[in-house]
Amino acid sequence: MLMGQSTKPTGRMSSKAERRSLQQAQRAVKSLCSMGPDACTLVLMRHGETEWNRGARFQGQMDPPLNELGVVQAQQAARFFEA
């Protein structure tokens, strides 16, 4: 995913634990940002693309290197956070 893009959740949550985890995250964000829109910034960022991502291969605990696009994505993210 490139900078500035977003995704919407698809499908249903598969377990009560996942729903509970999402609800806890939503409460935490609401609590963190309750002081007003200028009081905090929450940034969620996923790692850059790897060949395993591209091939829809399950990674689990492995840490494959970024592919060419993933390196570009990481560089874009670095520039974003430098500003």
Side-chain angles (χ1 to χ4, degrees):
M1 182 179 335
L2 298 176
M3 299 299 297
Q5 292 180 328
S6 64
T7 59
K8 293 182 180 178
T10 58
R12 294 177 58 173
M13 292 264 167
S14 61
S15 72
K16 287 182 181 180
E18 287 175 320
R19 287 191 296 277
R20 188 171 39 252
S21 178
L22 177 60
Q23 290 167 346
Q24 288 172 341
Q26 289 169 332
R27 283 192 299 273
V29 168
K30 186 175 180 179
S31 175
L32 285 171
C33 296
S34 64
M35 295 181 287
D38 295 331
C40 75
T41 300
L42 175 66
V43 178
L44 302 176
M45 185 173 74
R46 189 172 184 265
H47 61 78
E49 185 181 81
T50 69
E51 289 304 320
W52 286 21
N53 297 137
R54 189 176 221 169
R57 183 175 172 185
F58 180 73
Q59 291 179 204
Q61 301 271 331
M62 302 300 291
D63 191 19
L66 299 175
N67 63 16
E68 198 171 314
L69 175 59
V71 170
V72 169
Q73 291 169 333
Q75 291 167 342
Q76 288 175 335
R79 286 193 297 275
F80 174 82
F81 286 109
E82 285 176 350

